[in-house]
Amino acid sequence: MIRFPLIGLAAVALTAAAPDPISPSRLSADVKVLASDGFEGRAPGTPGEAKTVDWLVAQFKAMGLQPGGPDGQWTQAVPLIRTQIGQGGMRAGSMPLVQGQGVYVSTVRPVDRVAIADAPMVFVGYGVHAPERGWDDFKGVDLKGKIAVFLVNDPDFEAVDGDDAKGKFGDRRMTYYGRWTYKFEEAARQGAVGALIVHDTPGAGYGWATVTAPAGENYDIVRSDPTSRVLLQGWLSGESATKLFAAAGLDLAQQRKAARRADFRPVELNGQRFSADLPVTTVRAESRNVLARLPGKTRPDEVVMFGAHWDAYGKGAADADGRVIRPGANDDALGVAGVLELARAFKAAPQTDRSLVFALWTGEERGLLGSETYAVKPVYPLSKTVANLTLDILQTAGPAKDVMLVGDGQNDLEDRLKSAAAAQGRSVTPEALPERGLFYRADHFSVARRGVPTLLLMAISGAPDLVEGGRPAGQKWLDDYMRCYHQTCDAWDANWDLRGAAADVGLFYRIGQGLADSRDWPEWRAGSEFKAIRAESAAERK
């Protein structure tokens, strides 16, 4: 039984204004199952995955939905590789590098050894190639066979008045060009054999301990061309980078300033060649996305998609109480429960004109791998996918006066969110720390980067303004939850008050219903890096 605290009249009015068919008790019941010990933390490629997938399929079947995967199946195969860097030698110029100390590296190539001998190192500033913003850090310099050295975040992250970069990339709001994933991908496109990012805590949004936590492990999807990824990727500590630049006769602080100019050109680190000889263990595994569908009655080829990730971190080191299972109750069993509730609600409602797809992804915690596999091989054309609405961590502290918006200014789904929130008597609050780039760190991003307009609800993007206790109470909830983020204590709790979470899921019900019974095609804002990509397929949506 869920125990709710007493609330004031304001909360009663708030609830009365939002008669969405989303049940807090059913959300709780589903999370209780998915986060139970029998599911072993829902790690891909484990017995916990098999149990999870079977249970999810059974739920969709019981609702009367149709299989939504390829060839009429409930699942989509997600072939994965897991790599583990072993002990070996690394050096930059005359400076030895020790894994986890001055440097942290991994690979996503399915190789048995990383062997790099005397590769030139080239500082490429922020490593941004953004023609739509009039910015190119590479200037045509040949990086083939070289190590590209990047700064983290965007060119305007530290920009001041007078810098060319000032305001070019949303000021403190991170764009995709600021994400480490983009930098590694761009290094490969530029022909580099390896990529190293200079770490600093403000720019990255996390400390060195977070960088080194995977201990040389990495995951990727199985790619038809593995060379589309650099052979070696990773980070240099700020201290190591400062020494490396000094050895090349350069001042890193001055180079940071130079990288904020539009005329910046790559700078070779003279005399500082990089070598590595590292063994790699590569294991192949196959995981699965779960997909269900409600076909549209008049335009079934047009799809509104709802998503969440079913995977968590499985088993790990024992905590102080001897617990080893990291159950991922909020991250993201609660999001999964929200998608299941949306499926139930839409199945009970009149059939929509457009089709509805309910996607539960694998491999999010390993780098959005399930949703990336789908985006590479979509079951439904991305050009005809109206929108993707993703749930990834919801708040469990009761009704809130607002909902947090991740990625403010990206697309006009935000206007629909404001309207849906107003119908519940609520407002929309932009995320608190846009420089951390949360918009680029959840499963919706795999299709966003292919042009599909998206909306993400992620409660850790800021403190909610709770009906009981306001923003201070919301901050306390957030602080308490973050202590359990990815830990054994992210567990189901009968004392959760899921009325706020149910209201957030209800927002997606309202938005999804409006999209599914209209002929509207949401658009990216003029300043979004994804607008041009969507425009390429505009003719298919007429």
Side-chain angles (χ1 to χ4, degrees):
M1 177 179 179
I2 305 172
R3 297 184 291 276
F4 296 138
L6 294 176
I7 58 175
L9 292 177
V12 174
L14 184 71
T15 304
D20 298 308
I22 306 300
S23 166
S25 61
R26 284 196 300 264
L27 290 175
S28 181
D30 285 344
V31 175
K32 183 178 181 180
V33 173
L34 286 167
S36 63
D37 286 353
F39 286 75
E40 300 180 359
R42 305 190 309 281
T46 67
E49 164 168 356
K51 188 168 184 176
T52 300
V53 169
D54 289 348
W55 188 84
L56 293 173
V57 170
Q59 303 315 298
F60 285 131
K61 284 182 177 179
M63 296 175 202
L65 273 66
Q66 295 182 4
D71 303 319
Q73 302 297 308
W74 287 103
T75 61
Q76 178 186 35
V78 180
L80 301 175
I81 62 165
R82 174 189 175 275
T83 61
Q84 177 69 56
I85 290 279
Q87 294 296 318
M90 285 182 284
R91 181 176 294 275
S94 61
M95 181 171 63
L97 296 171
V98 178
Q99 173 79 321
Q101 296 180 24
V103 69
Y104 174 79
V105 296
S106 65
T107 185
V108 291
R109 291 262 197 102
V111 297
D112 58 13
R113 182 166 292 276
V114 168
I116 299 173
D118 293 326
M121 303 185 76
V122 181
F123 174 59
V124 295
Y126 290 88
V128 172
H129 177 66
E132 80 284 359
R133 296 172 192 250
W135 200 271
D136 178 22
D137 283 329
F138 296 96
K139 306 295 194 301
V141 170
D142 182 14
L143 293 180
K144 187 175 181 179
K146 300 176 182 179
I147 304 294
V149 180
F150 296 78
L151 297 175
V152 72
N153 217 300
D154 289 315
D156 62 357
F157 178 70
E158 296 180 309
V160 297
D161 291 342
D163 288 337
D164 297 340
K166 181 67 175 175
K168 283 272 189 180
F169 297 85
D171 290 313
R172 299 289 287 183
R173 181 176 66 84
M174 184 186 286
T175 69
Y176 185 46
Y177 301 112
R179 289 284 292 144
W180 56 265
T181 48
Y182 165 80
K183 297 176 191 294
F184 293 153
E185 291 166 359
E186 190 61 38
R189 285 190 286 268
Q190 297 288 336
V193 69
L196 295 171
I197 299 172
V198 177
H199 176 266
D200 68 78
T201 297
Y206 40 77
W208 185 249
T210 299
V211 169
T212 62
E217 178 187 72
N218 214 329
Y219 286 80
D220 197 15
I221 64 174
V222 174
R223 300 182 184 273
S224 57
D225 179 17
T227 63
S228 64
R229 294 294 184 264
V230 290
L231 178 61
L232 193 70
Q233 62 188 49
W235 299 74
L236 283 169
S237 69
E239 181 181 1
S240 291
T242 299
K243 292 178 179 177
L244 177 66
F245 276 63
L250 299 170
D251 183 297
L252 177 57
Q254 290 300 317
Q255 290 302 311
R256 285 182 181 276
K257 293 179 181 178
R260 303 199 292 265
R261 295 178 53 88
D263 61 359
F264 169 83
R265 293 184 62 84
V267 179
E268 184 158 343
L269 302 184
N270 291 326
Q272 308 309 300
R273 291 181 171 252
F274 181 88
S275 296
D277 187 14
L278 302 165
V280 182
T281 301
T282 301
V283 177
R284 290 178 179 261
E286 186 167 287
S287 191
R288 290 176 290 172
N289 294 324
V290 179
L291 297 161
R293 174 176 178 262
L294 286 172
K297 62 183 178 183
T298 59
R299 293 188 298 285
D301 60 325
E302 299 173 5
V303 169
V304 177
M305 175 178 281
F306 304 90
H309 69 90
W310 62 252
D311 69 305
Y313 270 95
K315 297 179 180 179
D319 65 13
D321 297 319
R323 296 175 296 187
V324 298
I325 294 174
R326 294 169 287 185
N330 198 336
D331 183 16
D332 189 30
L334 184 51
V336 171
V339 171
L340 294 176
E341 269 293 271
L342 288 165
R344 292 186 187 104
F346 278 111
K347 178 59 179 174
Q351 185 180 14
T352 55
D353 292 330
R354 287 165 158 165
S355 294
L356 304 173
V357 171
F358 305 91
L360 301 175
W361 311 115
T362 184
E364 189 273 350
E365 301 292 8
R366 274 72 179 178
L368 317 183
L369 301 183
S371 56
E372 176 69 10
T373 295
Y374 178 91
V376 171
K377 296 181 178 180
V379 180
Y380 308 95
L382 298 182
S383 62
K384 291 292 190 76
T385 301
V386 180
N388 172 286
L389 308 177
T390 290
L391 299 169
D392 194 344
I393 304 178
L394 302 173
Q395 62 93 355
T396 60
K401 301 173 189 175
D402 64 350
V403 60
M404 306 303 299
L405 170 61
V406 181
D408 184 26
Q410 280 287 356
N411 61 62
D412 59 27
L413 287 172
E414 298 166 19
D415 298 332
R416 293 176 181 269
L417 179 64
K418 290 175 184 176
S419 295
Q424 292 184 343
R426 303 168 68 196
S427 61
V428 173
T429 300
E431 62 188 307
L433 298 169
E435 64 269 25
R436 292 188 177 178
L438 286 178
F439 183 82
Y440 310 97
R441 292 163 57 182
D443 283 308
H444 70 291
F445 181 65
S446 296
V447 294
R449 64 188 293 203
R450 274 89 179 179
V452 176
T454 60
L455 198 60
L456 167 67
L457 294 188
M458 180 179 278
I460 60 173
S461 58
D465 186 6
L466 296 175
V467 169
E468 285 293 316
R471 197 82 63 193
Q475 187 64 54
K476 183 182 185 305
W477 170 82
L478 180 59
D479 293 342
D480 288 345
Y481 174 69
M482 291 307 296
R483 283 191 279 272
C484 288
Y485 183 55
H486 293 171
Q487 306 301 316
T488 57
C489 54
D490 183 8
W492 174 82
D493 189 336
N495 292 310
W496 279 353
D497 184 345
L498 295 182
R499 286 172 299 168
D504 284 352
V505 177
L507 295 171
F508 273 10
Y509 179 78
R510 291 170 181 264
I511 295 168
Q513 190 173 54
L515 290 170
D517 282 329
S518 76
R519 305 203 69 170
D520 296 343
W521 293 96
E523 297 287 346
W524 294 98
R525 307 287 198 203
S528 173
E529 54 267 54
F530 310 115
K531 184 176 179 62
I533 300 171
R534 186 65 161 179
E536 293 173 2
S537 62
E540 300 178 47
R541 292 186 291 279
K542 291 183 178 179

